[in-house]
Amino acid sequence: HNVLPMKRALFPWVLLFLGSELGGPAGSSYLWRHQSSSLLREAFVSRRQAEPADKFGLVESTPCEDNLELYKATNRELSDCSWLARRGIPNKGATRLRGGSSQYGTYNTPITFFSNNGHIAQIEYALEAVKKGLTVVAIKGEHVICIGVERRAVAKLQDPTTVRKLHQVDAHIVAATAGVAADARVLIDQARVESLTYRLQYEDCPSVEYVARYVGDVMLQYTMTRGTRPFGTSVVMAGFDQLSKTRLRPEVKPYPVPRLFLVDPSGCMVEWKAVSIGRSAKTINEYLERNYPASRQLVEGKDVQTEERILCELVMASMMEVMKVRHTSVEIATLTAARGVRLLLDEEVDLMAEGIDGGLAEGNATRTDEDSDWHPARAD
Amino acid sequence: MDTIISIAGNDFAIIAMNTSVINSIVFVKEDLDKFMEIGKNKFLAVSGYPGDVAQFTDFIQKTLLLHSLRTGLPLSTHSVANCIRKEISECLRKNPFKISILLIGFDKGVGSSLYSVDNLGALQRMEYCVQGYAAFFLFSFLDRRYKPKMKIEDILDIIIQSKTILKNRFIINQINFLIKIVDSKGCRNIGII
């Protein structure tokens, strides 16, 4: 032991030199046995700094066995090592995944990671996909909900009746979607099954909020599961509920109350008085913010048919901000508790549109017919 | 045991079912409408073990409603009958399960139709049918009295006489019969006898 003080000055350098030279288990274990732990840590740290920064993502690990021995020797926390390393199998030239790993490779990694400033990129991109979809405007009154959807200009050989944006989810619930059409189809189907399951179990119709919340839950699952992407659609659920008295809602109406919910790709469900999604949604939402309160005043005390007409006109006027409103470009539906869904006829749409704009149902036609070539994968 | 009597005319079909609910020796209820409306032009009458009846009827009705919401198209009586037959067969092969159904419906090209599925899952389209213990008493009567293309009044007369036969010879007093009709105008009640 009187040997130690003389060799001490050499140790840091000797370690590096010997580590690379000897390279085998015997050499490193010899070094380990005869060194203090602080020196070893020092050496280990300096060696580690030579590796590239591997904070985010994949790292090419060096096929070096004494690296592995050092890991084992210091009893280092092995969460950063690959599955192979933990079992003592050299990982030659393979990539090492950060933050957990799996023998199935990269398919199991969720793509919906948070970024360092709190955003989930995939969900925001999904919202962008929704903004590419065709416009949907939904407005609720006292006894009526009115929904307007923009119609796609279909390719010449296509049958326009199969391109649907308005879906009947249940006898008293209607949904309109904007975004990727295939995703919408799946969500609406799930909503239908859930609504009827509720009916089967409780012999009573589900509230619109229940169905909207369920759709939100489905959408959320797909943002948190491995190997899946978020849905690329927003869903507007409209329907009527007979609300009951609660502590927070002490005054209830004796008739079914219209309710309007928006569910977006993050799974977030919010109730709205009037909402628009799809392209030009921002413009239309601003228009509605300015004009919706006035429509509520107009509608007070009027009968259901007048209310229907007023709300349809408001929907059309808001759509006129961004496009031409004609029966070929727009589909309007009204929802009442008594009669259910009613689609406006082509002539009605044209007449009302002319009436609003004094014969020139042009509005601010900012949109061109750029989408006449339709592709299945495109947003709808 | 519930009694269901049904006769199909040319473009209408009439079905009558007893309205009493019996549990061992007690009348639980005397005036229950046990029919299930499917779509706008079909009636389904189900008899058998009470729990199976309730579960099966609700399940079939909601399944067919889901189908119509998904596809936006109504199902024909023939399709509904086959769907029901398939469900009954599957249920039978899983658990003890005993129900028998009578389905009547009106379709535009076909006219009225009557389908019977018995408790072993045998589907048959018929012109007149009786289910339950009453079949032992009434089939021979209906065999003699039924003629093709009968009028509503004659058919109702047959049903009233059937009730009299049961009252005379069947030990279980099934107090009232509710009669319904299906035709081009849809599903309607006729009355209680």
Side-chain angles (χ1 to χ4, degrees), chain B residues 32-58:
Chain B
L32 181 63
D33 181 347
K34 298 180 197 169
F35 292 98
M36 184 67 74
E37 262 186 54
I38 296 180
K40 294 190 187 128
N41 51 3
K42 288 181 263 297
F43 269 128
L44 178 67
V46 185
S47 66
Y49 290 151
D52 294 338
V53 165
Q55 184 262 338
F56 185 80
T57 327
D58 283 345

Side-chain angles (χ1 to χ4, degrees), chain B residues 126-175:
Chain B
M126 304 167 89
E127 285 153 357
Y128 57 93
C129 188
V130 187
Q131 279 185 352
Y133 285 121
F136 295 119
F137 301 94
L138 293 176
F139 254 125
S140 52
F141 174 66
L142 284 178
D143 284 340
R144 204 177 319 143
R145 290 290 303 272
Y146 175 81
K147 292 177 186 52
K149 297 187 187 176
M150 290 174 82
K151 291 187 233 158
I152 295 185
E153 298 83 18
D154 298 332
I155 292 181
L156 287 176
D157 191 44
I158 290 177
I159 293 183
I160 292 169
Q161 287 186 356
S162 309
K163 189 190 170 191
T164 316
I165 292 172
L166 289 176
K167 205 163 150 207
N168 288 340
R169 290 295 186 184
F170 189 29
I171 53 165
I172 297 178
N173 176 20
Q174 293 169 328
I175 303 167

Side-chain angles (χ1 to χ4, degrees), chain A residues 169 189 192-193 196 200 203, chain B residues 58-59 62 65-66 69-70:
Chain A
V169 168
D189 193 60
R192 282 175 177 151
V193 174
L196 278 168
L200 184 61
E203 269 302 307
Chain B
D58 283 345
F59 176 71
K62 302 305 191 267
L65 193 54
L66 178 64
L69 276 176
R70 268 179 170 154

Side-chain angles (χ1 to χ4, degrees), chain A residues 231-266:
Chain A
F231 282 93
T233 17
S234 280
V235 183
V236 171
M237 286 259 168
F240 288 87
D241 280 341
Q242 187 77 55
L243 296 176
S244 49
K245 226 178 188 176
T246 59
R247 191 179 54 83
L248 295 170
R249 194 171 51 217
E251 290 168 19
V252 287
K253 312 266 169 66
Y255 47 83
V257 165
R259 306 193 75 189
L260 189 61
F261 291 90
L262 171 63
V263 193
D264 58 20
S266 63

Side-chain angles (χ1 to χ4, degrees), chain B residues 11-149:
Chain B
D11 50 358
F12 62 90
I14 291 183
I15 189 166
M17 189 169 182
N18 73 318
T19 59
S20 56
V21 179
I22 299 168
N23 185 8
S24 73
I25 56 170
V26 178
F27 274 121
V28 176
K29 196 169 160 66
E30 291 175 8
D31 53 357
L32 181 63
D33 181 347
K34 298 180 197 169
F35 292 98
M36 184 67 74
E37 262 186 54
I38 296 180
K40 294 190 187 128
N41 51 3
K42 288 181 263 297
F43 269 128
L44 178 67
V46 185
S47 66
Y49 290 151
D52 294 338
V53 165
Q55 184 262 338
F56 185 80
T57 327
D58 283 345
F59 176 71
I60 277 288
Q61 197 201 32
K62 302 305 191 267
T63 306
L64 294 173
L65 193 54
L66 178 64
H67 179 275
S68 70
L69 276 176
R70 268 179 170 154
T71 58
L73 300 170
L75 273 176
S76 65
T77 317
H78 180 77
S79 309
V80 169
N82 278 283
C83 173
I84 291 173
R85 185 214 67 81
K86 175 196 171 249
E87 289 295 336
I88 291 180
S89 303
E90 283 180 5
C91 291
L92 270 175
R93 283 152 182 79
K94 285 184 193 162
N95 311 310
F97 186 78
K98 183 168 171 220
I99 65 170
S100 54
I101 70 121
L102 263 185
L103 175 75
I104 57 166
F106 181 84
D107 305 294
K108 256 191 178 161
V110 174
S112 68
S113 41
L114 163 66
Y115 289 88
S116 148
V117 182
D118 71 359
N119 56 318
L120 289 174
L123 171 68
Q124 188 61 44
R125 184 177 175 185
M126 304 167 89
E127 285 153 357
Y128 57 93
C129 188
V130 187
Q131 279 185 352
Y133 285 121
F136 295 119
F137 301 94
L138 293 176
F139 254 125
S140 52
F141 174 66
L142 284 178
D143 284 340
R144 204 177 319 143
R145 290 290 303 272
Y146 175 81
K147 292 177 186 52
K149 297 187 187 176

